[in-house]
Amino acid sequence: MSTLTAQMSSDGGPWRLYVVVYGEPEWPTFRWERSGPVPTVAERRAALAVLGYEVAPGAWWGWTEDSQDPDDDSTPAVLIAHTTVRECGAVTA
């Protein structure tokens, strides 16, 4: 079974979790109607399940820092979480 990447980010507004599905015009997305605190791992797991995905065995959440304007390091940081997911109930061979 193939795996995909899920990412979660916020630009200061509500947190948004999405599964990157290349070739698709719209990606499965879940949005929390709050800007803080950061959604817990349990909340992320529940959101992924709503979208039909689960964290792949052995995968963990990592974080990347970006900038709202890559050419200006004085702009607010944007945090992006990422992990490897698979469809719920997928069995690996």
Side-chain angles (χ1 to χ4, degrees), residues 14-83:
W15 284 93
R16 184 173 67 107
L17 182 142
Y18 48 93
V19 178
V20 179
V21 183
Y22 293 106
E24 294 295 323
E26 292 187 29
W27 295 344
T29 302
F30 185 92
R31 179 179 158 135
W32 287 272
E33 294 303 323
R34 68 176 197 250
S35 58
V38 175
T40 65
V41 173
E43 288 175 308
R44 292 177 232 165
R45 184 175 47 251
L48 283 168
V50 166
L51 298 176
Y53 295 90
E54 62 190 2
V55 175
W60 65 92
W61 286 93
W63 289 88
T64 302
E65 183 175 329
D66 200 357
S67 175
Q68 289 183 356
D69 180 352
D71 296 324
D72 181 358
D73 64 3
S74 68
T75 59
V78 176
L79 294 177
I80 304 167
H82 51 87
T83 194

Side-chain angles (χ1 to χ4, degrees), residues 4 45 48-49 52-57 83-91:
L4 299 167
R45 184 175 47 251
L48 283 168
Y53 295 90
E54 62 190 2
V55 175
T83 194
T84 302
V85 298
R86 66 181 185 177
E87 290 185 43
C88 283
V91 178

